[in-house]
Amino acid sequence: MDLVQQIIARAKSDKQRIVLPEATEERTLKAADMALAEEVADIILIGNPEEINRLAGEWGLKNIGKATIVDPENNPKSEEYAALLAELRKKKGMTIEQARELVKNPLYLGCMIIKTGGADGQISGALSTTADTLRPALQIIKCEPGITCVSGAMLLISKQKQYGEDGILVVGDVAVTPVPDAGQLAQIAVCTAETARSVAGFADPRVAMLSFSTKGSASHEVVDKVVEATRLAKELEPTLKIDGELQADAALVPEVGAKKAPGSDIAGKANVLVFPCLEVGNISYKLVQRLGDAEALGPILQGIARPVNDLSRGCSVDDVYKMIAITACQAMDAKKK
């Protein structure tokens, strides 16, 4: 069973309630139909019920009737949600009138359903920007306790089985925070290890904090940041297996790790890679994907108290389907905290 099959099987084992606020978007609705047919998750669709059902008929979707449909324009819980949103945002000056309008916005409505216990996770982005996806999540659901920095992890599945966990690596940040400071980088390390456990199923995440230096081979303030972030990550999660700073080859190749970082428990054995900044992370994973013929799954947003994930606007039906399963796995893990 490959990693994607494992993720889907894990999602099926304990079905979670996943909100799809872009329910009239074709790829989203088709992925919802697949997830319902295969019982990967319980699906909550936000949109006009007549339009959703018309589109389902037009596209030959047979399972949409199993979904819960919430109409943002005729929602019996609108006033309850508006009152709660106004309370959550009162320090920012939000009025009840503004809140009433916002809870008609599907992205805000989905987060309110999660906040009040009616759902476990949300996925959008086929039509919306990352900023539009993140804004209601951060205003309503907020970050995990102890975390102030949202980041994005990617699952890289390589044919080079000798690296990572049988060819699988979890890497971050590739999507959100451009230039993290040491404290933020430490949070990214802890969250990416958490994603490795909850989504990739790693029993033993081994985190390498990457740099252009290994154990003092170069001196620069950006290297110092990685060293400090490693120290802070150990404070955040004392049991975390982590080391840095390490160059990428020292992190992945046993012979190189033994030579450059003798005595390290991580060098040559890493299955989680943390990049020093977003620029490095985003470029690196795309090069590995294109030149190394690796499969890339994500980005998976992390650090939010309940999973809210972002799709590429160029996503496929299969991408949305896989993200439903990934979000379900994150939701299971979030409930254990």
Side-chain angles (χ1 to χ4, degrees), residues 77-214:
K77 293 188 175 181
S78 282
E79 193 60 26
E80 173 192 338
Y81 291 162
L84 176 56
L85 180 57
E87 177 64 22
L88 288 170
R89 302 294 293 165
K90 67 180 181 181
K91 290 183 179 178
K92 297 294 183 180
M94 183 175 289
T95 65
I96 187 66
E97 291 78 14
Q98 291 170 325
R100 285 177 180 138
E101 284 304 308
L102 278 177
V103 298
K104 295 178 184 177
N105 178 317
L107 301 180
Y108 274 82
L109 177 52
C111 288
M112 291 306 303
I113 294 171
I114 294 169
K115 183 70 173 180
T116 54
D120 305 304
Q122 176 166 294
I123 304 164
S124 60
L127 295 174
S128 310
T129 65
T130 298
D132 286 341
T133 292
L134 275 175
R135 190 177 302 110
L138 294 176
Q139 290 179 2
I140 297 166
I141 302 171
K142 306 186 185 299
C143 289
E144 293 179 42
I147 300 295
T148 60
C149 172
V150 175
S151 55
M154 189 71 66
L155 308 185
L156 291 178
I157 306 171
S158 170
K159 297 177 178 65
Q160 304 297 319
K161 302 291 187 181
Q162 69 271 34
Y163 300 128
E165 200 76 10
D166 197 31
I168 301 166
L169 290 161
V170 184
V171 302
D173 176 17
V174 300
V176 182
T177 304
V179 187
D181 60 27
Q184 291 172 322
L185 195 58
Q187 293 179 30
I188 291 168
V190 169
C191 290
T192 307
E194 184 178 299
T195 297
R197 293 187 199 99
S198 64
V199 178
F202 288 7
D204 186 31
R206 299 179 297 277
V207 183
M209 305 292 280
L210 298 185
S211 181
F212 61 85
S213 168
T214 297

Side-chain angles (χ1 to χ4, degrees), residues 20 23 25-38 40-41 43 45 59 61 63-64 123 311 315-325:
L20 300 177
E25 196 279 325
E26 183 173 0
R27 295 160 296 175
T28 301
L29 198 58
K30 288 180 175 178
D33 189 72
M34 289 174 60
L36 289 163
E38 298 183 21
V40 172
I43 300 297
L45 301 172
W59 295 328
L61 308 180
N63 299 281
I64 294 303
I123 304 164
L311 298 161
C315 63
S316 66
V317 173
D318 196 48
D319 292 333
V320 184
Y321 172 74
K322 289 174 182 174
M323 190 58 77
I324 290 171

